Amino acid sequence: MSLTVVPSGASCGATITGVQLNQSLSDDLIAEIRAHWLEHKVVAFPDQQLTPAQLVGFSEQFGEIGEDPFFGHIDEHPQVAAIQRNADETTSIFAEFFHSDWSFMPVPPAATALYGIKIPPVGGDTHFSNQVAAYEQMLDDLRARVEDLTAIHSAALGYAPDGAYGEADQQQGRSMKILPSERALETYEHPLVRTHHETGKRALFSSAAYIKGFVGLDKEESDALLMELYAHQSQPEFVYAHRWQPGMLVMWDNRSVLHAATGGYDGYDRLLHRTTISDTQF
């Protein structure tokens, strides 16, 4: 089995063909895929046929399945969540701000795998922003200000009972199984600049969606810095816009990229199955 890897031409991302992920993969092939994933940070596998159990089986070859603290699971499998929006839905597009999945956890996940089932003919791209490049291309002044900062992460803005996906949002008929909770008020601290324990690369680990402030800075200073960082992190030169296809699996490295959903597909159903893959350390 020979892989063909085609880089996206953007700051990150590659498409891999020549493998069927519903089959047993050798240790050497898994290691090869992992190397491409770490290099390109986002890898897409088109033309796959994966049941929920097979999606979990593929994911487990890259780490233990992690917790999705505010998502319900699909009926067919307790470790798979549905990223879903119905054609007639009027709620806001889910996860439009750049973020790293579940960064507010003690050990945030290494990877997310997302498998396209119902993909609209228009819209719905996922944008990925390379945070290794964002760190390496920071102006010296900004880097000096953030190099040693510790960020306070929280899910409150999104998943607290009064958050963006809280009780009021649920009453509007969102099709996704989101489970808002007081647990979202908990906080956890992480360095703003992290060193990837597999690649040794340094990257910004920051998101206005999940950071409520910085240790040692007051709210006004923290909010201003978050907005300055967000403007830098989301510059077009760092961003890869991924176009989905039915039957495509995409796996990304939460330690190296941020991602954001986009809309533009009103009137069409959209459904993807997701697994979260744990990390072994921060």
Side-chain angles (χ1 to χ4, degrees), residues 26-277:
S26 69
D27 290 345
D28 287 346
L29 186 55
I30 293 167
E32 185 179 356
I33 292 172
R34 189 177 196 94
H36 292 305
W37 167 61
L38 290 173
E39 176 184 357
H40 296 288
K41 303 170 182 59
V42 183
V43 288
F45 302 86
D47 302 321
Q48 303 296 320
Q49 298 294 324
L50 295 172
T51 66
Q54 289 168 336
L55 173 59
V56 170
F58 169 78
S59 302
E60 286 177 328
Q61 295 171 102
F62 294 87
E64 294 183 2
I65 302 297
E67 178 188 8
D68 282 320
F70 303 107
F71 289 169
H73 59 76
I74 63 173
D75 294 339
E76 298 92 332
H77 204 289
Q79 294 174 306
V80 177
I83 306 301
Q84 180 175 359
R85 183 177 172 85
N86 293 338
D88 59 354
E89 196 163 327
T90 59
T91 60
S92 60
I93 297 297
F94 177 72
E96 285 187 290
F97 285 93
F98 275 111
H99 62 286
S100 179
D101 283 332
W102 305 151
S103 70
F104 47 80
M105 299 183 74
V107 180
T112 303
L114 200 58
Y115 175 63
I117 298 171
K118 295 179 181 178
I119 302 299
V122 294
D125 291 359
T126 301
H127 290 178
F128 296 93
S129 183
N130 182 342
Q131 295 306 289
V132 175
Y135 171 73
E136 292 176 347
Q137 297 180 40
M138 293 181 82
L139 294 176
D140 291 343
D141 174 68
L142 181 57
R143 179 183 288 120
R145 289 158 54 204
V146 305
E147 189 78 59
D148 298 318
L149 282 182
T150 297
I152 305 167
H153 293 248
S154 166
L157 285 177
Y159 301 105
D162 62 351
Y165 308 116
E167 294 168 356
D169 180 73
Q170 300 305 302
Q171 293 170 6
Q172 295 179 31
R174 186 175 293 277
S175 53
M176 271 186 67
K177 293 181 181 178
I178 298 179
L179 309 174
S181 166
E182 296 286 344
R183 180 183 174 187
L185 302 177
E186 298 174 0
T187 62
Y188 205 88
E189 297 179 0
H190 294 300
L192 178 64
V193 179
R194 70 179 297 177
T195 301
H196 196 300
H197 68 84
E198 293 188 76
T199 67
K201 297 285 188 179
R202 290 171 68 75
L204 292 172
F205 193 63
S206 169
S207 165
Y210 288 145
I211 291 179
K212 63 179 296 183
F214 299 97
V215 174
L217 301 185
D218 63 27
K219 186 178 188 314
E220 184 177 355
E221 291 175 305
S222 289
D223 289 349
L225 180 56
L226 272 174
M227 292 304 100
E228 185 177 358
L229 281 169
Y230 194 86
H232 171 71
Q233 293 169 285
S234 57
Q235 291 182 83
E237 58 262 41
F238 304 139
V239 174
Y240 160 54
H242 178 75
R243 180 70 193 137
W244 287 90
Q245 301 168 12
M248 174 178 279
L249 183 137
V250 176
M251 182 171 67
W252 63 87
D253 188 339
N254 281 298
R255 303 160 296 188
S256 299
V257 298
L258 302 179
H259 64 283
T262 66
Y265 53 92
D266 287 350
Y268 294 98
D269 290 334
R270 186 173 186 267
L271 175 64
L272 305 95
H273 282 173
R274 161 181 158 147
T275 56
T276 299
I277 302 170

